[in-house]
Amino acid sequence: MFKPLEFYKPDLAKTIKETEKTIANARKHQGGNISFRALPPSDVDFYEKMNLLEYEFPQDNKRYAKDLCSLLEKSFHARRDVDDNFIPVITPNLGIGDYSAFVAGEIIFQKDTSWSQPVLKEVNDYQKLPPLGTAKWYGLFLEIIEEILKISGPSGIPFSRGFFSPLDLAHALRGEAIFFDFYDNPDEVKQLIDFCADATIKFASEIHKVIKKYLKNSKYGLFYTEGLINMSEDIACMISGEQYQEFCAPFTQKVIDHFGDGHMHTHSRSMYLVKEICSLNNVVNLWLPTDPNAPKPIEHGEQLALDSRGANLAIDCENFQEIVDNFASFKAGNFSITLPVKDIAEAKLYTAKFKQLK
């Protein structure tokens, strides 16, 4: 189904080299790398084209994997002549329900997403859960990604999987009550979050093991998994910077330390978190999307360059003029700027224009 990775990215070696340079500089807290990502509809329309309600797992594991890979192949093929910073990557698309159901609970599927429901009535109830690794979706998710890798592995296309941060996972298991736990049971909630850190380390390690089984002999197949972890810090957007340092930082750091580099995600509605997250050791990348009615990262380059301590910030904009107007402010940091475009022709046009800015 898939052609070799180099088919989908003819300039692959150059793009890999530029990305590696950015990450190396981020580790040393040095800036000066600015790259561009065009986002045509074909990059993301596979989310809409897949109907998650059509599958029964585990009976449909293979059919799901085949359908996902078919859509991803078409997406990669469509943009193969766009010389931006995009590197093809395979990633499962099951919504976010499986991000916590591997610990306990069931996934509630909708057409294009999923979610889970809290399973902890009390903050200490995680101690009553079945042993980690025995939940239905723990093994089932590993089986699904193996079916995907059976198809994609021979191509050498990298595979990636993101995870909840320990706090995000604790929130998914406990629900909104966790915000009261911060005040009513601070020691107990820290123990829960620490449990979530250990659970993430165990599950991510097993996923990485499956990925390595199929991609260990490829040149770039482990580019997004070897020596790194991808995590979201979404729930932290609801708490203060001081609370982040108390209830999040030690446990997120624990996970990062186990794997190596931290590739993180949070939201612009709480841009103060850039400083908090990037104060952690070995955070080298932070995806910072713009929220409605919230500050626009594209307009705060100088402050973000300072707060990020050299971590590469993946931000977005509405139009190319915003990049032109704010380009100088990015030079002290490391930035990847994403521009939504209407089609592949426009993607190629603005990629060429961006190169002229540099």
Side-chain angles (χ1 to χ4, degrees), residues 191-202:
Q191 293 169 13
L192 168 61
I193 298 171
D194 190 47
F195 164 82
C196 291
D198 290 339
T200 299
I201 289 170
K202 177 177 172 59

Side-chain angles (χ1 to χ4, degrees), residues 113-125:
T113 190
S114 71
W115 60 85
S116 61
Q117 290 183 331
V119 296
L120 304 181
K121 292 184 178 179
E122 302 294 336
V123 67
N124 290 325
D125 281 351

Side-chain angles (χ1 to χ4, degrees), residues 15 51 54 69-70 83 89 131 133 206 236 248 273 290-291 307-308 326 329 340-341 348 358:
T15 306
N51 183 355
E54 292 182 351
C69 288
S70 177
D83 187 21
V89 59
E206 293 213 34
C248 303
L273 282 178
T290 304
D291 293 305
D307 290 346
S308 64
N326 296 282
S329 69
V341 295
K348 293 166 69 174
K358 298 179 71 175

Side-chain angles (χ1 to χ4, degrees), residues 251-272:
F251 311 104
T252 296
Q253 187 70 68
K254 182 179 184 178
V255 180
I256 294 172
D257 287 347
H258 182 86
F259 292 97
D261 288 342
H263 289 234
M264 306 298 294
H265 159 70
T266 194
H267 287 265
S268 74
R269 69 173 302 276
S270 301
M271 282 211 296
Y272 62 86

Side-chain angles (χ1 to χ4, degrees), residues 177-190:
I178 198 169
F179 295 112
F180 295 96
D181 294 330
F182 286 150
Y183 299 96
D184 297 337
N185 304 290
D187 292 336
E188 289 81 356
V189 78
K190 289 175 188 176

Side-chain angles (χ1 to χ4, degrees), residues 290-291 296 298-299 316-323 337-341:
T290 304
D291 293 305
K296 299 171 68 173
I298 190 76
E299 297 176 350
D316 51 64
C317 61
E318 295 180 2
N319 56 71
F320 191 77
Q321 190 60 44
E322 287 185 325
I323 300 177
I337 307 168
T338 296
L339 173 67
V341 295

Side-chain angles (χ1 to χ4, degrees), residues 198-216:
D198 290 339
T200 299
I201 289 170
K202 177 177 172 59
F203 191 48
S205 295
E206 293 213 34
I207 289 175
H208 287 190
K209 189 183 300 182
V210 177
I211 296 169
K212 195 168 186 177
K213 173 183 174 182
Y214 288 91
L215 290 169
K216 63 183 178 181

Side-chain angles (χ1 to χ4, degrees), residues 56 69 79 114 132 137 140 164 179-180 182 229 241 289 312 315-316 322 326 345 353:
E56 292 289 337
C69 288
R79 59 138 47 241
S114 71
L132 189 64
W137 277 99
L140 184 48
F164 280 159
F179 295 112
F180 295 96
F182 286 150
I229 186 74
N312 185 56
I315 65 174
D316 51 64
E322 287 185 325
N326 296 282
K353 286 189 173 185

